[in-house]
Amino acid sequence: MRPANPLQREAKRTALLDAAAQCFAEAGFVATRTADICSTAGMSSGNLFHYFSSKHELLLALIAREGEETAAAMTALVAAEDPMAALSGFLEHVCQLASDRHYAGLALEISALGHRDEAVAHLVKANDLVLREGLAALVDAAGRSGQLHTNLSPEQAATWLAALIDGLFARVAADPQFNPQDQSQVLQQLVAHLLQGR
Amino acid sequence: MRPANPLQREAKRTALLDAAAQCFAEAGFVATRTADICSTAGMSSGNLFHYFSSKHELLLALIAREGEETAAAMTALVAAEDPMAALSGFLEHVCQLASDRHYAGLALEISALGHRDEAVAHLVKANDLVLREGLAALVDAAGRSGQLHTNLSPEQAATWLAALIDGLFARVAADPQFNPQDQSQVLQQLVAHLLQGR
């Protein structure tokens, strides 16, 4: 049944996106059946097609949602009074996310899918740009607050912040003993060096 | 025809590995047919099966060869008189490899395949360990030469060097405007900070 109430519809759509995120992270996109997603969301099989035309459309909606969440997080960060403290808090949050097997598994699954699926690659690149533009705005704000000591442009600094975040997630995939939360201090020091030369 | 001469056999095997690397980088593993590999290697179709039982076995041999090359490169680096200069030269070389669309494409393809193929994942992790152990030995040698100023253990330093290298390759995939060779100075500075606190 498709609820007539828009709020109920939105709640069901969100439940399906959450369930898909869990299934894709655990079993991978290809091995996940739409029935698995419905069952994880506590809905009857086939209900999914009232909301998404295919498993692939659900995947794309999931990646788009991730982009919206990144954009909202970045807007909040850029508005912070102390930009460097905001960046430091964001990096702490990223270390937590990378330590979350479920989140990291989904990120790696999407990145692997993007390698051979143009629609996924397009959205992943758009999300990456949202992240980098947000980080560049944050670095720019830190500069205007007199918090920087670097020759890098905000865009170049944002690129290296993104590279460090990518590297963190890649280490999770490569090395089972790597715990991002244990490494957050080293990350913060590298970022302080990158932006403040110390 | 399968040559009886072991040197000829080895040359043909190498030609097939090189051809497979090119095909996988350009078209992806799934889309590549064994006939494409033979044609790229200048051999008649089917010849491949005298050397490899399947396209998958060829892929695994390619990843294993990459590991052997990394091990040889690491042995040479660790024997260098000036460990920090050797590391710096190695990072310069990595920036060149990441700038090579063919090499970077193959690295990303293999990493994506490893996400759902256990045999690939196993070899990729083994190669990663060879890299990290080599880097840790190099950092250790730098420490014994009095070139370090860091609280990180050689293993932790090697992990962050690997994270920076991962980040470099991930930026190539995410951002078409990212040119690793333009960024090698920033990378070298981050590494100097990581290992020498400056």
Side-chain angles (χ1 to χ4, degrees):
Chain A
M1 280 289 293
R2 181 213 290 253
N5 179 328
L7 278 179
Q8 275 183 355
R9 267 191 69 74
E10 188 55 32
K12 290 258 187 185
R13 199 175 175 276
T14 298
L16 282 166
L17 286 167
D18 293 341
Q22 190 181 327
C23 293
F24 296 161
E26 285 168 6
F29 175 74
V30 172
T32 295
R33 297 164 311 153
T34 55
D36 302 328
I37 299 171
C38 289
S39 141
T40 303
M43 295 182 199
S44 55
S45 215
N47 214 327
L48 183 149
F49 298 105
H50 291 304
Y51 300 90
F52 301 97
S53 65
S54 65
K55 185 174 74 164
H56 191 253
E57 198 198 296
L58 183 47
L59 171 69
L60 297 182
L62 193 59
I63 305 173
R65 181 173 76 167
E66 181 76 25
E68 287 156 20
E69 287 170 359
T70 302
M74 287 296 133
T75 304
L77 284 181
V78 173
E81 219 165 288
D82 180 340
M84 280 303 288
L87 177 60
S88 173
F90 174 71
L91 293 172
E92 204 59 49
H93 177 60
V94 168
C95 286
Q96 279 168 20
L97 288 176
S99 295
D100 176 341
R101 291 247 150 246
H102 177 260
Y103 185 92
L106 183 62
L108 293 164
E109 173 72 4
I110 289 171
S111 136
L113 289 170
H115 196 52
R116 289 290 152 203
D117 180 324
E118 280 198 27
V120 170
H122 181 80
L123 282 178
V124 166
K125 281 185 185 158
N127 289 0
D128 183 68
L129 194 59
V130 165
L131 175 71
R132 274 187 290 132
E133 286 179 347
L135 290 172
L138 191 56
V139 169
D140 192 47
R144 280 184 281 106
S145 303
Q147 293 181 309
L148 297 191
H149 183 76
T150 176
N151 294 324
L152 300 180
S153 68
E155 290 69 29
Q156 207 181 358
T159 287
W160 276 97
L161 292 173
L164 285 165
I165 294 170
D166 292 333
L168 203 69
F169 278 88
R171 283 299 91 203
V172 171
D175 177 5
Q177 300 195 298
F178 182 78
N179 181 348
Q181 281 186 284
D182 291 348
Q183 301 294 328
S184 102
Q185 210 192 331
V186 184
L187 176 63
Q188 301 276 5
Q189 279 168 8
L190 281 171
V191 169
H193 178 71
L194 195 65
L195 299 179
Q196 302 176 315
R198 57 175 171 78
Chain B
M1 281 291 293
R2 179 212 292 251
N5 178 328
L7 278 180
Q8 275 184 355
R9 266 190 71 73
E10 189 54 32
K12 290 257 185 185
R13 201 175 174 274
T14 298
L16 283 166
L17 286 168
D18 292 342
Q22 189 181 327
C23 293
F24 296 161
E26 284 168 7
F29 175 73
V30 172
T32 296
R33 297 165 310 156
T34 54
D36 302 329
I37 299 171
C38 290
S39 141
T40 303
M43 295 183 198
S44 55
S45 215
N47 215 326
L48 184 150
F49 298 106
H50 291 303
Y51 300 89
F52 301 98
S53 66
S54 66
K55 185 174 73 165
H56 190 253
E57 198 198 298
L58 183 47
L59 171 70
L60 297 182
L62 194 58
I63 306 173
R65 181 173 75 168
E66 182 75 26
E68 287 155 20
E69 286 169 359
T70 302
M74 288 296 133
T75 304
L77 284 181
V78 173
E81 218 165 290
D82 179 341
M84 279 304 287
L87 178 59
S88 174
F90 175 70
L91 294 171
E92 205 59 49
H93 176 61
V94 168
C95 286
Q96 280 168 19
L97 288 176
S99 296
D100 175 343
R101 292 247 150 246
H102 177 262
Y103 185 91
L106 183 62
L108 293 164
E109 172 73 4
I110 288 171
S111 138
L113 289 169
H115 197 50
R116 288 292 151 202
D117 180 325
E118 280 197 29
V120 170
H122 181 80
L123 282 178
V124 166
K125 281 183 187 160
N127 288 359
D128 184 69
L129 194 59
V130 166
L131 174 71
R132 273 187 292 131
E133 286 179 347
L135 289 171
L138 191 55
V139 169
D140 192 48
R144 280 183 280 106
S145 303
Q147 294 181 308
L148 296 190
H149 183 76
T150 177
N151 293 323
L152 300 180
S153 68
E155 290 70 29
Q156 206 181 359
T159 287
W160 276 98
L161 293 173
L164 285 165
I165 294 170
D166 292 333
L168 202 72
F169 278 88
R171 284 298 91 202
V172 171
D175 177 4
Q177 300 194 298
F178 182 78
N179 180 347
Q181 281 184 284
D182 291 349
Q183 301 294 328
S184 100
Q185 209 191 333
V186 184
L187 177 63
Q188 300 276 6
Q189 279 168 8
L190 281 171
V191 170
H193 177 71
L194 195 67
L195 298 180
Q196 301 176 315
R198 56 174 173 82

